Amino acid sequence: MKKIRFILCILFLLSCSKTEVTEVDLSPYFQGIGGTAVFYQPTTGQYKIHNLSLSGQRSSPCSTFKIISAGLALSENLINKGHSKIKWNKKHYDMQTWNKDMTLKEAFRTSCVWYFRNLINRLPQAKIQAALNRLEYGNKDISDWKGNLNANAEHPELKGFWIESSLQISPVEQVRSLAKLFSSPSPTAATLKELMQTTETPVKIYGKTGLGIKDNKVHTAWFVGFFEQNNRPVYFAVRLADEDNPLPDYRHKASQYARQIAIDIISNARLF
């Protein structure tokens, strides 16, 4: 089924007007870690893809979905830049940085799950479904609303349909959804851009990591976002898929590896 979905995804891309898909070898940047990288320039319709066979396979978006949930909360006026603090419930979590009242900026930077679960709970399911349909966000499946398919977390506020659960998305779909999300200037897009800023030099890069654990192994590790080249936005998604990687810190830092791989490619490889 995964192979069929991948073929259908690539056929769809090739059927679109102004679309050009080029497979590129970026393996030196991955340094033996299994994964894929997708770069998409919507103004020209060009895709540059490393490891084409993985680029259309779906997995959980995990914390990359915080881009979408933050955007929805901002656009629905649940929070704004000046008023976004949510009180901590006084439970002590393994992530020490989560054990305090949090603003949107703090929660985004520390990838605080309970904060974004709180926002999602305040949004009507129909609103979220409509947004995912509009963005063509993967399989658009929020049926496991509470995230009970994820056996890794014991607290309900640390579960959700976007964390190793019903919602699934491929790297190709990630870049297309991001391009739709940021297609028009708006206060929400401007705030998201501020939240996502990752580097200043040599290129300003905006992104979000994501890490999924399944059966005590890294199931997926993401870094997705965009940068500008020649005054044109380029959207990217790097996803690692290497459950048995022997690196001693891989389980805890796989998404940081994805982030560094993306930064190195963007800073050094002239793809467009």
Side-chain angles (χ1 to χ4, degrees), residues 218-246:
V218 175
H219 183 243
T220 190
W222 293 98
F223 187 58
V224 309
F226 64 95
F227 63 101
E228 290 183 355
Q229 186 169 293
N230 300 323
N231 295 316
R232 292 174 171 174
V234 177
Y235 297 89
F236 66 85
V238 170
R239 188 187 68 195
L240 306 183
D242 198 347
E243 293 184 354
D244 298 314
N245 190 287

Side-chain angles (χ1 to χ4, degrees), residues 85-229:
K85 185 172 285 188
I86 297 178
K87 288 191 174 295
W88 173 42
N89 62 10
K90 304 304 180 183
K91 284 186 182 178
H92 285 269
Y93 301 107
D94 291 339
M95 288 287 291
Q96 294 299 314
T97 53
W98 297 357
N99 298 327
K100 53 178 265 186
D101 297 349
M102 302 286 275
T103 64
L104 174 61
K105 183 176 181 179
E106 291 169 324
F108 197 88
R109 294 301 169 114
T110 62
S111 214
C112 180
V113 176
W114 68 254
Y115 182 97
F116 286 90
R117 178 76 256 187
N118 184 293
L119 292 182
I120 289 289
N121 287 344
R122 292 156 60 189
L123 286 162
Q125 292 188 31
K127 287 273 188 184
I128 296 174
Q129 189 65 69
L132 298 188
N133 293 344
R134 183 175 67 254
L135 295 171
E136 299 182 71
Y137 195 87
N139 66 358
K140 305 177 284 289
D141 185 356
I142 63 173
S143 59
D144 186 32
W145 180 257
K146 294 183 178 180
N148 291 325
L149 291 174
N150 177 11
N152 293 311
E154 61 176 298
H155 300 295
E157 67 272 20
L158 301 185
K159 293 185 175 187
F161 56 84
W162 65 95
I163 309 171
E164 293 300 333
S165 185
S166 59
L167 186 63
Q168 303 274 303
I169 191 168
S170 72
V172 169
E173 290 166 328
Q174 282 268 28
V175 298
R176 290 182 64 83
S177 293
L178 285 170
K180 287 177 180 290
L181 182 64
F182 289 96
S183 61
S184 301
S186 69
T188 292
T191 300
L192 286 177
K193 191 173 179 178
E194 287 181 28
L195 290 172
M196 294 169 65
Q197 184 164 342
T198 300
T199 64
E200 279 280 359
T201 56
V203 181
K204 282 188 178 181
I205 300 173
Y206 307 88
K208 182 71 187 77
T209 55
L211 179 65
I213 303 295
K214 193 172 184 179
D215 300 324
N216 207 34
K217 291 183 176 181
V218 175
H219 183 243
T220 190
W222 293 98
F223 187 58
V224 309
F226 64 95
F227 63 101
E228 290 183 355
Q229 186 169 293

Side-chain angles (χ1 to χ4, degrees), residues 9-80:
C9 180
I10 297 302
L11 286 175
F12 170 75
L13 288 177
L14 293 174
S15 70
C16 295
S17 61
K18 288 181 63 182
T19 294
E20 178 187 327
V21 179
T22 304
E23 188 165 19
V24 293
D25 181 13
L26 299 172
S27 53
Y29 295 99
F30 283 75
Q31 297 184 351
I33 300 174
T36 182
V38 177
F39 294 84
Y40 171 48
Q41 191 176 72
T43 51
T44 62
Q46 289 181 295
Y47 290 82
K48 300 295 178 71
I49 300 177
H50 168 74
N51 204 336
L52 199 62
S53 63
L54 289 179
S55 66
Q57 294 181 11
R58 288 172 172 166
S59 63
S60 171
C62 300
S63 286
T64 66
F65 188 71
K66 290 181 172 71
I67 300 169
I68 307 301
S69 52
L72 280 168
L74 289 163
S75 62
E76 292 297 315
N77 297 313
L78 294 181
I79 54 174
N80 58 52

